[in-house]
């Protein structure tokens, strides 16, 4: 670790941090965050880091010209290497980056109150508003078709057909439900493909533990920008509803306690639209209520595909972890559809 830190002209005590599905994170002293980028998930590390650099630079300029709550927003700050690069590669082929640590801020894995939901949604609203005029052509799609549900269903169908791990039998009920909802859940993707929805720069992973709050409970910074790519507003709003209004986290095995907290869902909607309604198109607004169910459905398909193909993408804590996650998200779909 000290050898890696030397590339950034840093040193100090290193401690593991967080519980992310993809990357490995470490706090370095009081001021820095060191991360190993999972290059199996993000093979285009150069494109990924260039996206983050461009987006955070754009947001920083917008914050500097803002007033009120917008001026109090923050964004990630990349610490370059001693040679001015955005990341370094070690002898084992691993990629590493460093951010300035966001001192004084904290996150919530599960929101406790509608007030937290509202505050976090406003932070995502600021993020989306800051990027409204960002030139989408500059963004690299580091994971092509990341939220393309049609593409995800094709991968799911192949996984079911191949059944390489002999796991189809134990998740047949979940598989059947995925197929039963396919027509309903592909509407947004089909409308976008027809050119009726604006292509924007979107975060694409708007879990509420990716919003950092201050001590007073205000959302101050959107983090985890690895999946910033081109998309539609429904991806970001939908994932905010999926994660922020859920009554349990996505690892919960007890389906009886999984559903949607309507007060939090309303708070997220109010908070997000308070900053975005004026520039969203009528076509975007019309399909916005379908966003939550789409993202929960998409995540169910992804978790189940990973389970059927041997758990290659998501970190797991036990053998059935991705199956539990898939069933969890399908239960959330049921609640959202209702």
């Amino acid at each position: 670790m000290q050898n890696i830190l030397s590339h950034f002209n840093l040193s100090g005590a290193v401690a593991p941090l967080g519980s992310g599905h993809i990357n490995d994170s470490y706090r370095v002293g009081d001021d820095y965050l060191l991360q190993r980028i999972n290059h199996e998930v993000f093979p285009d590390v150069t494109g990924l880091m260039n996206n983050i650099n461009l987006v955070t630079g754009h947001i920083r300029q917008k914050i500097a010209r803002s007033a009120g709550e917008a001026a109090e927003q923050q964004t990630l700050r990349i610490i370059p290497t001693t040679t001015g690069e955005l990341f370094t590669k070690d002898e084992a082929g691993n990629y590493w980056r460093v951010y300035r640590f966001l001192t004084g801020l904290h996150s919530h894995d599960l929101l406790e109150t509608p007030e937290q939901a509202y505050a976090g949604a406003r932070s995502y609203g600021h993020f989306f508003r800051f990027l409204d005029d960002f030139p989408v052509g500059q963004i690299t799609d580091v994971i092509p078709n990341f939220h393309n549900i049609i593409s995800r269903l094709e991968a799911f169908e192949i996984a079911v057909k191949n059944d390489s791990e002999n796991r189809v039998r134990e998740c047949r009920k979940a598989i059947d439900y995925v197929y039963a909802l396919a027509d309903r859940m592909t509407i947004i993707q089909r409308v976008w493909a027809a050119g009726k929805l604006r292509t924007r720069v979107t975060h694409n992973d708007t879990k509420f533990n990716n919003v950092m709050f201050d001590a007073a409970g205000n959302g101050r910074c959107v983090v985890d920008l690895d999946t910033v790519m081109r998309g539609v507003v429904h991806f970001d709003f939908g994932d905010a509803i999926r994660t922020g209004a859920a009554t349990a986290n996505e690892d919960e095995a007890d389906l009886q306690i999984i559903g949607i907290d309507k007060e939090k869902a309303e708070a997220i909607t109010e908070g997000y639209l308070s900053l975005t309604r004026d520039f969203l198109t009528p076509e975007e607004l019309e399909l916005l209520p379908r966003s939550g169910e789409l993202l929960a459905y998409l995540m169910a398909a992804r978790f189940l595909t990973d389970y059927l193909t041997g758990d290659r993408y998501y970190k797991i804590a036990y053998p059935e972890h991705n199956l539990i996650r898939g069933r969890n998200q399908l239960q959330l779909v049921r609640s959202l559809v209702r």
Side-chain angles (χ1 to χ4, degrees):
M1 289 295 188
Q2 296 304 321
N3 182 51
I4 293 163
L5 289 174
S6 70
H7 290 274
F8 300 91
N9 196 29
L10 298 175
S11 62
V14 179
L17 182 72
S19 56
H21 287 330
I22 307 299
N23 300 317
D24 297 322
S25 300
Y26 305 86
R27 186 167 183 175
V28 181
D30 294 328
D31 298 325
Y32 301 100
L33 174 69
L34 171 69
Q35 288 187 318
R36 183 187 68 82
I37 304 168
N38 188 331
H39 59 275
E40 293 184 3
V41 173
F42 302 107
D44 185 2
V45 176
T46 299
L48 180 150
M49 292 304 297
N50 189 55
N51 283 351
I52 297 173
N53 192 46
L54 290 172
V55 165
T56 55
H58 187 85
I59 291 174
R60 197 169 292 113
Q61 291 179 7
K62 286 297 186 76
I63 292 172
R65 296 196 296 265
S66 296
E69 184 185 61
E72 296 178 2
Q73 294 295 300
Q74 300 180 35
T75 191
L76 293 172
R77 184 176 294 276
I78 300 168
I79 303 299
T81 68
T82 55
T83 56
E85 304 296 326
L86 299 176
F87 61 90
T88 191
K89 185 178 180 181
D90 66 22
E91 294 179 355
N94 294 308
Y95 296 83
W96 299 86
R97 66 182 170 207
V98 174
Y99 292 121
R100 175 75 66 174
F101 195 84
L102 296 166
T103 305
L105 302 182
H106 63 278
S107 63
H108 299 281
D109 282 333
L110 192 64
L111 298 178
E112 296 177 357
T113 66
E115 289 74 21
Q116 288 177 346
Y118 181 84
R122 280 187 63 83
S123 202
Y124 275 128
H126 281 298
F127 179 87
F128 194 66
R129 190 176 191 89
F130 289 149
L131 294 174
D132 180 48
D133 62 346
F134 189 93
V136 295
Q138 294 184 13
I139 290 294
T140 299
D141 289 333
V142 293
I143 304 180
N145 294 312
F146 184 60
H147 279 336
N148 183 335
I149 187 56
I150 295 174
S151 176
R152 294 293 187 181
L153 285 174
E154 289 171 352
F156 176 77
E157 189 172 17
I158 291 170
V160 172
K161 181 179 179 180
N162 291 342
D163 194 15
S164 60
E165 305 296 316
N166 297 311
R167 291 175 168 179
V168 165
R169 180 180 297 179
E170 61 187 303
C171 45
R172 174 54 66 185
K173 186 176 180 180
I175 291 169
D176 290 344
Y177 190 53
V178 170
Y179 286 144
L181 289 179
D183 283 345
R184 177 187 177 100
M185 296 300 171
T186 54
I187 290 174
I188 289 173
Q189 184 67 37
R190 286 186 273 122
V191 173
W192 183 26
K196 298 178 182 178
L197 296 174
R198 179 180 162 185
T199 299
R200 300 178 178 273
V201 178
T202 47
H203 184 282
N204 296 304
D205 190 17
T206 49
K207 299 189 296 288
F208 272 77
N209 60 5
N210 284 334
V211 176
M212 305 299 291
F213 293 80
D214 64 18
N218 302 301
R220 289 298 182 221
C221 186
V222 172
V223 299
D224 197 359
L225 306 183
D226 291 345
T227 54
V228 166
M229 290 179 283
R230 291 172 290 187
V232 288
V233 62
H234 310 84
F235 296 162
D236 282 5
F237 180 73
D239 215 25
I241 291 291
R242 178 186 77 88
T243 60
T247 55
N249 66 39
E250 62 189 20
D251 298 311
E252 177 58 57
D254 184 357
L255 299 185
Q256 299 302 312
I257 65 172
I258 298 168
I260 286 294
D261 184 317
K262 293 180 71 173
E263 287 189 53
K264 289 179 183 176
E266 290 172 359
I268 291 166
T269 304
E270 291 173 7
Y272 196 76
L273 288 180
S274 68
L275 287 157
T276 62
R277 181 190 293 275
D278 63 318
F279 63 88
L280 291 176
T281 68
E283 293 80 8
E284 288 173 321
L285 288 167
E286 182 181 357
L287 287 171
L288 212 59
R290 291 288 189 90
S291 304
E293 64 184 56
L294 167 62
L295 268 292
Y297 177 82
L298 187 146
M299 288 307 302
R302 290 181 63 189
F303 284 138
L304 291 169
T305 299
D306 202 27
Y307 180 70
L308 292 169
T309 54
D311 308 302
R312 300 176 181 179
Y313 187 89
Y314 292 107
K315 293 179 182 178
I316 59 172
Y318 52 92
E320 297 81 21
H321 201 164
N322 276 321
L323 175 58
I324 293 298
R325 289 165 169 160
R327 288 171 173 166
N328 172 303
Q329 290 300 288
L330 288 180
Q331 183 68 10
L332 199 60
V333 170
R334 291 184 182 93
S335 182
L336 284 159
V337 168
R338 283 196 300 269

